[in-house]
Amino acid sequence: MEVTVECQKRPEGSKTKALRREGLIPAVLYGHQGTESVPLTIEVKKAQKLLKDTSINNTIIDLQVPDISWSGKTILREVQSHPYKPLILHLSFFSVAAHGSLDVEVPIHFVGDPVGVKVGGGILDQTVTELAIRCKPDKIPETLDIDVSGLKLGESLQLSQITLPEGVEATGETDLVLARVMAPVGASSTESESEGEAAE
């Protein structure tokens, strides 16, 4: 998914409180020219909509800054929010056009009903909710759908056992456990093993 948003160059010497009174949020653009950064502002309503439509380090954002005649593909690197008020304090954008691959984290969506849950009465323990991957900006998946229907009671699914989309590479340890089917609370190990054998 790709969204478009427009920002303005932040006036030099502008104060954060004054910007917020004008309905603006401070922001910054990194990576468009090496280590140089550009201070920006974005309208509060646009920022709120952006956060609803995108995910941090995941969604490609077509950022437009008319004041400096710049536009390009970015990702939202960081969002600073008020600790207890529903306020956005600062946004950080990172230009991806000049970079070959990016390291991002993508949500995992487990699909299917494990055999060990349907037959053995086990419980699916989802040990990981996001996966660290490396890919080109235009290859970032919104989610990773992982089939767990074949998992039996007592079995686990490791990173090395899944197939990722073309152009996507996992950066974590291959023995990372993504999910496992655990025995019901109170069940003995002997009961778990016999139920697993029955499922076979």
Side-chain angles (χ1 to χ4, degrees), residues 52-122:
K52 288 181 180 179
D53 296 340
T54 64
S55 300
I56 295 176
N57 285 328
N58 177 255
T59 310
I60 295 295
I61 301 167
D62 183 7
L63 181 66
Q64 300 178 354
V65 190
D67 307 50
I68 59 174
S69 300
W70 188 89
S71 66
K73 296 186 185 303
T74 66
I75 57 174
L76 195 56
R77 266 298 193 215
E78 183 183 16
V79 178
Q80 295 179 17
S81 302
H82 194 280
Y84 56 88
K85 295 181 181 179
L87 299 175
I88 305 168
L89 301 181
H90 189 274
L91 300 180
S92 296
F93 296 94
F94 182 76
S95 173
V96 299
H99 302 268
S101 296
L102 291 174
D103 288 343
V104 298
E105 291 187 354
V106 179
I108 290 178
H109 178 222
F110 293 107
V111 297
D113 294 322
V115 173
V117 173
K118 290 192 298 182
V119 179

Side-chain angles (χ1 to χ4, degrees), residues 9-159:
K9 191 174 187 302
R10 193 188 319 169
E12 188 173 345
S14 57
K15 303 297 183 181
T16 300
K17 289 184 177 179
L19 291 174
R20 294 202 178 96
R21 283 197 296 269
E22 297 175 21
L24 300 173
I25 295 173
V28 66
L29 169 65
Y30 295 105
H32 78 299
Q33 287 184 353
T35 58
E36 182 182 345
S37 63
V38 179
L40 306 170
T41 61
I42 181 173
E43 294 176 12
V44 171
K45 290 184 178 179
K46 288 182 179 179
Q48 292 172 336
K49 185 177 187 306
L50 180 67
L51 295 186
K52 288 181 180 179
D53 296 340
T54 64
S55 300
I56 295 176
N57 285 328
N58 177 255
T59 310
I60 295 295
I61 301 167
D62 183 7
L63 181 66
Q64 300 178 354
V65 190
D67 307 50
I68 59 174
S69 300
W70 188 89
S71 66
K73 296 186 185 303
T74 66
I75 57 174
L76 195 56
R77 266 298 193 215
E78 183 183 16
V79 178
Q80 295 179 17
S81 302
H82 194 280
Y84 56 88
K85 295 181 181 179
L87 299 175
I88 305 168
L89 301 181
H90 189 274
L91 300 180
S92 296
F93 296 94
F94 182 76
S95 173
V96 299
H99 302 268
S101 296
L102 291 174
D103 288 343
V104 298
E105 291 187 354
V106 179
I108 290 178
H109 178 222
F110 293 107
V111 297
D113 294 322
V115 173
V117 173
K118 290 192 298 182
V119 179
I123 300 169
L124 178 63
D125 179 24
Q126 303 178 11
T127 57
V128 176
T129 58
E130 292 184 329
L131 186 64
I133 63 171
R134 179 174 295 130
C135 62
K136 292 184 178 180
D138 60 350
K139 293 289 186 179
I140 300 176
E142 291 185 45
T143 61
L144 290 172
D145 293 335
I146 298 177
D147 186 8
V148 292
S149 58
L151 282 182
K152 299 173 184 176
L153 199 62
E155 289 186 338
S156 62
L157 180 67
Q158 295 184 336
L159 178 57

